[in-house]
Amino acid sequence: MKKIRLLKCPGYGPATRLDKLADLPLQFDATAALPGDLIMPSPVNAHDHGYGIRTLDFGAVDDALEVWIPGLRLRPRTDPYLEALVAFGRLARTGVGATMHCHNSLNVDHLVDEASAVMRAAGDIGIRLALSCPLLDHDAWAYDGGPNRLKPFLSTSDWQALEPTIPAYAPISTQLAAVEAVAAANTSPLVDVQYGPIGPQWCSNALLEAIAEASAHHNRRIHMHLLESPRQRVWLDRRFPEGVVTYLDSIGFLSPRLAIAHGVQLRPDELELLAERGVQLVSNPSANLRLRSGIAPIATALEIGGPPFAIGLDGTGLDDDQDLWREMRLLYLLQGGRGPTRRLTAQNVFDAAIRVGGRVINANQAEDFTIVDYQALIADALFDDIDEAEILLTRMSAKYAKGLIVAGRDVMRRGELTGIDFDAALSELGAQARADLPRLEEQRPLVRALSEATHAYYATWPGIS
Ligand SMILES: [Zn+2]
């Protein structure tokens, strides 16, 4: 009899170990697994942006969030399908079969086409997708006033070159209608379309209120960045004297249909209110360290009955390799505390990555499994009964993911995708990016000037170090 272990992760079902192939709980192509492999519910990447080309590759070196954002202007123009295909393919190869994709296009006229390209890419790879459609209309480039705030920090010629690129936002009704058009065009049961207000600092009150209403009306989820950087805390405290979370509650924005990303600067009373309203929090520990936002109060949230949390890569994993397993490890280590009792357990981490992640993407991934080369992980272990969750959190990484099954479909085996030729897609994407190099070379000095102006602007803000 083949011996296969099944780890049903805590929080996603009873902990079970099976030793007979016949005991597997679903129609499972057993040729994908070998005796000794570990088969587990697949974790969810609960916040990301679908970057086929990673930010560092076009020169956006890590920096404080606001100073880093101008560097995103150097993202090469590529085919949205190919961009998403590479991003999703890279993720599926790590054994992760579901992702929250916060789309970054700011042109509402292109949204429906781009979103359908992204959905097609997810379908061709075979992963689950939540697609958050961008919504924004406020304070581009700089909080508390928008582009004009940066003018004193730019040369006249740089300002004149930048001024035509100040975004003109479509009316709120047009933006919301585009989301409904994206949802209407979706035919896949593996895709969930959501509202994606980028963050309260980039949304007018009118837009936030319209989204709250539309979400209730259409029963559609919202996914939004909230209180990521310390400068957002300072500015939102000034803009909403009652507190931004209290404000969001007053307009009916907080509900079980909402997930917020980051939440690094949340206060305990805000965590409690979010929990009361059934909101989920998505933590992105690498992004928060790399963009100097800090460490999210995840363990505190657990201790005071705050919102449940999920885990996302946000395009900026620890080794820049989109490895959610390492992200889980980082979160586990950052939130353990210093006392004799861990503030956050292995069970909490798997519950976050699997069960809460599923809520964030509005999916039930009961038929999604990652096959782990567990024998390789425990090759030197002296005991056979060391807790699997601890082994995974201490040693698991993408290279040990040998299979991925999503909704019963074989998506990845031994690192190779079944749906597409990943290397060919990556090389075509690279060729498209290089073809855009002359434009990017021309843009680089201007982008550098905008980053420096942003740095100079926030350097005048008190109380942040
Ligand atoms: Zn993000």
Side-chain angles (χ1 to χ4, degrees):
M1 186 68 70
K2 282 187 183 176
K3 189 171 181 182
I4 293 187
R5 294 174 171 189
L6 177 83
L7 175 77
K8 275 230 167 183
C9 285
Y12 204 68
T16 317
R17 277 179 162 199
L18 302 184
D19 64 3
K20 297 196 299 292
L21 193 57
D23 291 339
L24 285 171
L26 75 166
Q27 297 303 320
F28 200 94
D29 179 0
T31 64
L34 286 172
D37 287 349
L38 185 145
I39 301 168
M40 60 177 289
S42 186
V44 175
N45 179 20
H47 177 77
D48 216 321
H49 296 273
Y51 297 145
I53 297 172
R54 289 164 291 171
T55 50
L56 187 60
D57 288 324
F58 53 83
V61 176
D62 291 353
D63 209 324
L65 174 73
E66 292 80 2
V67 181
W68 172 82
I69 285 174
L72 300 179
R73 287 169 165 246
L74 293 175
R75 173 166 296 290
R77 287 181 184 152
T78 56
D79 172 24
Y81 168 78
L82 197 56
E83 183 86 29
L85 195 72
V86 169
F88 300 157
R90 191 180 278 129
L91 191 69
R93 291 175 95 198
T94 71
V96 175
T99 192
M100 163 57 69
H101 171 83
C102 301
H103 198 64
N104 260 350
S105 165
L106 303 181
N107 188 332
V108 72
D109 297 331
H110 298 168
L111 181 65
V112 177
D113 285 347
E114 290 186 12
S116 78
V118 168
M119 293 190 278
R120 192 158 50 87
D124 287 352
I125 303 283
I127 62 164
R128 287 183 198 276
L129 178 76
L131 196 157
S132 163
C133 301
L135 298 162
L136 73 170
D137 68 348
H138 192 69
D139 269 8
W141 302 9
Y143 313 143
D144 192 15
N148 279 311
R149 290 292 191 190
L150 302 187
K151 196 173 174 181
F153 303 99
L154 288 158
S155 71
T156 307
S157 60
D158 283 345
W159 174 257
Q160 283 169 352
L162 284 163
E163 202 176 12
T165 70
I166 293 174
Y169 299 114
I172 291 170
S173 57
T174 308
Q175 294 197 37
L176 290 176
V179 180
E180 293 313 318
V182 170
N186 172 36
T187 54
S188 171
L190 299 189
V191 176
D192 187 58
V193 176
Q194 306 191 3
Y195 298 110
I198 309 282
Q201 61 282 350
W202 294 303
C203 295
S204 65
N205 291 17
L207 177 58
L208 292 168
E209 286 161 26
I211 293 167
E213 197 183 317
S215 167
H217 180 72
H218 294 286
N219 195 27
R220 185 175 303 296
R221 288 188 59 90
I222 308 173
H223 190 95
M224 178 173 80
H225 299 78
L226 180 66
L227 290 167
E228 178 174 357
S229 78
R231 285 153 298 278
Q232 291 171 4
R233 174 88 261 179
V234 168
W235 164 231
L236 292 171
D237 281 349
R238 294 218 302 266
R239 179 171 151 195
F240 301 103
E242 74 275 42
V244 61
V245 177
T246 306
Y247 163 75
L248 291 170
D249 191 39
S250 74
I251 62 168
F253 200 93
L254 308 184
S255 83
R257 296 183 306 278
L258 172 67
I260 54 160
H262 299 288
V264 184
Q265 321 300 330
L266 283 166
R267 298 185 183 119
D269 60 310
E270 295 172 326
L271 290 166
E272 284 169 2
L273 180 54
L274 292 171
E276 269 173 44
R277 297 294 179 262
V279 176
Q280 308 93 51
L281 169 63
V282 184
S283 192
N284 313 276
S286 291
N288 297 335
L289 293 173
R290 290 180 54 181
L291 304 183
R292 299 208 297 278
S293 293
I295 297 172
I298 298 298
T300 302
L302 268 175
E303 285 162 3
I304 66 172
F309 72 97
I311 307 170
L313 284 160
D314 200 18
T316 48
L318 186 60
D319 297 293
D320 214 20
D321 59 357
Q322 289 295 88
D323 188 331
L324 189 67
W325 307 99
R326 287 196 164 106
E327 200 70 7
M328 291 162 69
R329 169 147 59 253
L330 180 62
L331 189 143
Y332 187 49
L333 296 176
L334 282 175
Q335 302 289 340
R338 297 184 298 174
T341 304
R342 287 196 62 86
R343 295 185 73 193
L344 178 122
T345 64
Q347 180 171 339
N348 296 142
V349 175
F350 284 102
D351 183 51
I354 297 164
R355 186 181 63 82
V356 186
R359 279 178 67 187
V360 170
I361 62 163
N362 207 13
N364 177 351
Q365 331 89 287
E367 293 181 3
D368 300 0
F369 290 89
T370 304
I371 302 170
V372 176
D373 184 359
Y374 197 67
Q375 290 305 109
L377 288 173
I378 57 165
D380 301 324
L382 301 180
F383 295 106
D384 188 42
D385 62 351
I386 302 170
D387 186 272
E388 289 96 341
E390 294 290 347
I391 294 272
L392 289 169
L393 279 179
T394 309
R395 293 183 174 171
M396 180 63 186
S397 68
K399 71 176 176 181
Y400 298 108
K402 58 182 285 190
L404 174 65
I405 290 132
V406 178
R409 171 180 165 188
D410 238 339
V411 169
M412 181 273 285
R413 278 206 192 182
R414 289 175 290 279
E416 296 299 322
L417 301 175
T418 59
I420 66 148
D421 180 341
F422 180 78
D423 291 336
L426 183 62
S427 105
E428 195 186 331
L429 184 67
Q432 286 187 8
R434 280 188 293 279
D436 197 27
L437 265 176
R439 186 184 68 86
L440 299 181
E441 288 288 6
E442 203 182 301
Q443 288 286 311
R444 285 181 95 185
L446 211 52
V447 167
R448 195 172 302 122
L450 191 58
S451 281
E452 286 170 4
T454 308
H455 182 276
Y457 171 60
Y458 289 112
T460 66
W461 286 34
I464 301 170
S465 59

